[in-house]
Amino acid sequence: MKSEKNMFIVICFFGLLGLGLVGCQSSESNSNEESDKVTLELWNNVAAGRSYFPILIEEFEKENPNIEIELNNLNVESSEAEYQAAISDESLPDIFSTDALTINEFVNLDLVRELDELFPADVRDEYNQGVFDEGNASLNGHVYLFPVYKGGTYYMFYNKQVLNDLGVSKTPTTWEELNEVGQEIYNKSDGATYGLIFGGQSGWLVEAITKLFATELSPESDYDYKNGDYKYATEGYIETMKYMKELRENKVLSLSTLETDSTVARELFVSGQAAFLIDGNWTGQLLNESGFKDWGVLKLPTKDQNGKQYGEFGLGSNDGLYVAKDTKHWNEVKKFMEFLRENMYEEILRDGEPIVAKKISNFDIDLPFEQMTEISDIFDEMNVRTPDPIVVNSEAQVIEVETQKNAPDAAPGSILMGYLTGQVEDVESELKKYEEGYNQAFKDALEDNENITQEDFKFPNWVPYEPYTSEDYKELN
């Protein structure tokens, strides 16, 4: 009886021991599963990314439970300092977007990883022409930037409700038509509505649209590709500024243009205080998100009926994603970026931004607003590939950055605003001063760098308004 009792105790002991071992093994297994989980840091510097990244991350993590994406949406105003600190501390996140440095600076500092295996030739064919050109997503023959967008351009939006209410049927395509229609709008509304507004306090906007207007009359405005120097005292810039002054004097250009930034200008446009608004391609998305649907979009008006304007097709650092050179999780990063490559663009289109790096015709989806296709088509017409000195000599970007740092403060955009407010009387004289100062800064930058000359900035076979191709570069040799 005693021996049976002892045997029962022994069996119970080993039974409990077994349960304990199973419990330990189960606990150890769970612990291993947790330790196998990889966390990737993603720093986002693009406002629209706050909408689509959480959706994409949630979907990816469901498919890949052992990979976690930690999203950090940075404040635009303070992000540059955060990136500079991360570079100094050698603590860049695994994946990031930023305009703190150019692609050339990132590559020269050996901070970012090549992405060639993510973008073989057959994959690159799915993207818009020029996206992977040297100086855009690529440098020195290698891909470094995961292209998300394809740059940007500027448009003239119109408020259909204002035009209908005032009985105005014409949407202007020339300078003269805008002048006439704008005066009609002001008079019919008894001064309650102006013809045109833009954010005059947004310097980047004024600079960009002034240059675009100027390229019709003087395609060498800003930079003369044939001669390899900078041109600002051009007929295009001078006539554009005089035209804007005429619009102001004729009460076509709203007084609020002088006082507001692009955000406030857009709000005044929506509220019916202006019939036409000049702003960037992202404006369509913002108008749609605000619930305002009654609008259309046009190219910027030209002086001549058949006139052409153009913007340089080019990706900035903020138009894509980089991978830190020292990421410890390349395999997981690659898996996430492959997922983004196949799913991100469609999500961005659903979000309302049509200027994605892949061809919009690749996607069979219902767009959130009908004007998206028109915005994309105008972009493709307006933006052309221009010669890029970086293709000839990678040191060119160093020269460009150094030149910009030491250029005069009074750029064409600020000269225009000074002219509209009466602080500048002679625009031609001011533009000449700026041109001389800018070219001097350019000359000084070249003299300080023995690895490049002005000849690397000259493209005698450049034809304005036509795409500059790889064949054109070969002709230079």
Side-chain angles (χ1 to χ4, degrees):
M1 189 75 178
K2 185 176 180 180
S3 62
E4 287 178 2
K5 184 177 180 181
N6 288 342
M7 181 63 69
F8 175 75
I9 293 172
V10 169
I11 290 171
C12 286
F13 172 78
F14 280 108
L16 290 171
L17 180 62
L19 288 173
L21 287 171
V22 170
C24 288
Q25 286 174 347
S26 176
S27 175
E28 184 178 341
S29 175
N30 289 336
S31 176
N32 285 339
E33 284 178 12
E34 286 296 320
S35 65
D36 287 344
K37 195 166 192 174
V38 170
T39 299
L40 303 178
E41 279 190 279
L42 167 60
W43 284 12
N44 168 51
N45 195 43
V46 178
R50 297 170 182 264
S51 299
Y52 58 76
F53 271 128
I55 296 170
L56 291 162
I57 288 169
E58 182 179 2
E59 187 178 341
F60 174 78
E61 289 180 343
K62 282 180 182 177
E63 296 178 10
N64 300 273
N66 289 328
I67 304 175
E68 180 182 4
I69 310 297
E70 188 177 287
L71 175 63
N72 182 9
N73 290 312
L74 302 184
N75 181 287
V76 176
E77 284 73 23
S78 62
S79 64
E80 185 170 345
E82 293 181 71
Y83 274 109
Q84 294 294 351
I87 291 169
S88 298
D89 297 341
E90 298 182 352
S91 59
L92 278 170
D94 301 279
I95 306 165
F96 59 93
S97 63
T98 179
D99 54 6
L101 298 177
T102 63
I103 185 173
N104 192 56
E105 290 172 312
F106 275 122
V107 173
N108 285 346
L109 292 170
D110 201 27
L111 294 173
V112 291
R113 184 186 176 99
E114 290 178 13
L115 304 176
D116 294 352
E117 56 188 294
L118 275 169
F119 298 102
D122 60 325
V123 171
R124 293 199 299 270
D125 287 341
E126 299 172 9
Y127 287 76
N128 288 277
Q129 282 192 334
V131 164
F132 290 98
D133 280 359
E134 194 79 359
N136 282 333
S138 302
L139 199 67
N140 306 323
H142 298 286
V143 179
Y144 288 96
L145 181 71
F146 180 115
V148 177
Y149 303 104
K150 56 180 178 183
T153 196
Y154 298 86
Y155 304 75
M156 189 165 74
F157 299 86
Y158 59 96
N159 188 318
K160 292 182 180 180
Q161 183 177 338
V162 165
L163 298 183
N164 290 336
D165 289 348
L166 295 175
V168 177
S169 58
K170 192 173 188 64
T171 50
T173 60
T174 66
W175 289 12
E176 183 179 358
E177 289 173 352
L178 178 58
N179 201 344
E180 291 174 353
V181 171
Q183 291 181 65
E184 181 184 359
I185 289 166
Y186 184 83
N187 292 331
K188 284 187 172 181
S189 68
D190 294 325
T193 301
Y194 282 87
L196 177 66
I197 193 171
F198 56 84
Q201 291 300 310
S202 294
W204 49 269
L205 172 65
V206 182
E207 198 69 35
I209 63 178
T210 305
K211 178 182 173 182
L212 266 179
F213 272 104
T215 59
E216 177 198 354
L217 301 178
S218 307
E220 75 280 6
S221 292
D222 189 73
Y223 184 72
D224 186 343
Y225 294 101
K226 285 184 181 292
N227 295 314
D229 61 358
Y230 293 87
K231 297 284 192 343
Y232 294 100
T234 64
E235 179 190 5
Y237 270 122
I238 294 167
E239 289 301 311
T240 295
M241 294 184 185
K242 288 181 177 178
Y243 173 66
M244 289 293 179
K245 184 72 172 285
E246 182 183 357
L247 293 182
R248 177 69 209 97
E249 291 171 346
N250 290 342
K251 297 181 179 178
V252 174
L253 184 64
S254 171
L255 268 175
S256 298
T257 295
L258 310 178
E259 305 163 353
T260 60
D261 61 16
S262 61
T263 300
V264 176
R266 185 175 64 251
E267 292 169 354
L268 295 177
F269 166 75
V270 170
S271 69
Q273 295 184 50
F276 302 99
L277 167 74
I278 296 178
D279 211 338
N281 48 267
W282 52 86
T283 303
Q285 180 181 10
L286 296 174
L287 292 173
N288 183 63
E289 288 176 353
S290 72
F292 182 63
K293 311 289 186 183
D294 210 8
W295 58 273
V297 62
L298 301 163
K299 290 189 296 183
L300 296 184
T302 52
K303 183 174 184 179
D304 298 319
Q305 186 66 54
N306 298 315
K308 289 184 178 180
Q309 301 163 343
Y310 78 95
E312 297 94 339
F313 180 95
L315 276 67
S317 279
N318 237 17
D319 286 322
L321 298 167
Y322 290 104
V323 174
K325 182 69 175 286
D326 60 357
T327 179
K328 297 178 175 61
H329 308 293
W330 167 241
N331 289 333
E332 289 79 10
V333 167
K334 183 184 175 187
K335 182 174 283 191
F336 179 54
M337 298 195 92
E338 286 172 340
F339 173 84
L340 293 182
R341 191 186 66 197
E342 302 308 317
N343 298 278
M344 170 184 269
Y345 306 101
E346 191 168 318
E347 194 60 49
I348 295 174
L349 289 171
R350 285 200 186 97
D351 202 39
E353 173 54 77
I355 312 301
V356 291
K358 272 191 178 181
K359 299 169 186 172
I360 196 170
S361 58
N362 290 354
F363 303 95
D364 183 20
I365 62 171
D366 293 328
L367 300 175
F369 53 94
E370 61 184 16
Q371 301 95 330
M372 280 181 67
T373 301
E374 198 166 3
I375 289 173
S376 180
D377 290 344
I378 291 174
F379 177 94
D380 291 339
E381 183 180 344
M382 288 286 295
N383 282 257
V384 296
R385 285 178 287 166
T386 53
D388 193 338
I390 294 173
V391 178
V392 177
N393 188 327
S394 62
E395 289 293 302
Q397 197 161 34
V398 177
I399 300 299
E400 291 171 358
V401 170
E402 193 65 25
T403 300
Q404 290 168 7
K405 285 179 182 176
N406 297 300
D409 293 330
S414 60
I415 293 172
L416 169 60
M417 295 309 295
Y419 188 48
L420 293 177
T421 57
Q423 296 172 308
V424 171
E425 294 183 1
D426 187 347
V427 291
E428 185 172 358
S429 175
E430 292 298 316
L431 286 166
K432 281 181 178 177
K433 286 181 191 176
Y434 185 75
E435 182 178 298
E436 290 169 1
Y438 206 100
N439 277 310
Q440 186 60 53
F442 179 46
K443 181 181 177 182
D444 292 343
L446 285 169
E447 288 179 352
D448 290 340
N449 192 321
E450 61 184 15
N451 299 317
I452 190 169
T453 70
Q454 190 172 356
E455 292 302 311
D456 294 320
F457 289 82
K458 294 181 179 180
F459 301 87
N461 59 347
W462 171 60
V463 179
Y465 316 112
E466 293 185 8
Y468 198 83
T469 67
S470 56
E471 295 302 314
D472 293 317
Y473 285 110
K474 290 176 184 176
E475 285 181 10
L476 298 175
N477 300 323

